[in-house]
Amino acid sequence: ERLNSKQIKSDQMLTQKNGIIHDKQLVLKSLEESNRLIEIKIIDIEEDIKRQEDLCEIERNQNCSQTKMYTKLKGETQQVKDEYDLLQSELRSIKEGIKRASDLII
């Protein structure tokens, strides 16, 4: 009966750890999807910046509003890149947590 109690406790701990790993995997999947969307947004914004740079080069002295748009897009790109870097950091932390949890199970 003592062995049975230990086995039950061990099974409960394993189930709990598996639940934690599953939860972290869900978070990881969500972060990966967020990162994918952010990467797409960065590419779109960088393409917009390139188009704006080209326009600004041609009309820089004639149209101040294009220069303002370029500055705004550049700021938005930096903000998105900063968010992406933060998500990448969180992703690395979650992956490390999952690895530690997996190591505990093994």
Side-chain angles (χ1 to χ4, degrees), residues 8-9 13 41 50 52 75 88 94 100 104:
I8 289 171
K9 191 171 187 174
M13 288 179 62
K41 188 173 182 180
K50 178 63 177 142
Q52 288 299 321
Q88 285 294 88
I94 289 171
R100 284 193 300 272
L104 289 174

Side-chain angles (χ1 to χ4, degrees), residues 11-26:
D11 289 348
Q12 289 171 340
M13 288 179 62
L14 183 59
T15 300
Q16 182 181 14
K17 287 178 183 179
N18 283 337
I20 291 170
I21 288 172
H22 177 71
D23 291 347
K24 288 190 178 205
Q25 286 173 334
L26 290 176

Side-chain angles (χ1 to χ4, degrees), residues 52 56 63-74:
Q52 288 299 321
C56 286
N63 193 338
C64 185
S65 66
Q66 288 178 344
T67 302
K68 288 179 183 178
M69 178 59 88
Y70 168 77
T71 302
K72 178 184 174 195
L73 287 171
K74 195 169 188 175

Side-chain angles (χ1 to χ4, degrees), residues 10-72:
S10 175
D11 289 348
Q12 289 171 340
M13 288 179 62
L14 183 59
T15 300
Q16 182 181 14
K17 287 178 183 179
N18 283 337
I20 291 170
I21 288 172
H22 177 71
D23 291 347
K24 288 190 178 205
Q25 286 173 334
L26 290 176
V27 170
L28 178 62
K29 186 174 183 177
S30 175
L31 284 172
E32 286 172 342
E33 178 64 17
S34 294
N35 284 350
R36 189 184 69 74
L37 295 174
I38 288 172
E39 287 172 349
I40 290 169
K41 188 173 182 180
I42 287 171
I43 289 168
D44 289 343
I45 290 172
E46 286 175 340
E47 288 172 355
D48 286 344
I49 287 174
K50 178 63 177 142
R51 285 190 292 273
Q52 288 299 321
E53 284 175 340
D54 294 344
L55 288 174
C56 286
E57 188 64 36
I58 295 167
E59 300 181 20
R60 185 176 307 274
N61 295 325
Q62 296 175 0
N63 193 338
C64 185
S65 66
Q66 288 178 344
T67 302
K68 288 179 183 178
M69 178 59 88
Y70 168 77
T71 302
K72 178 184 174 195

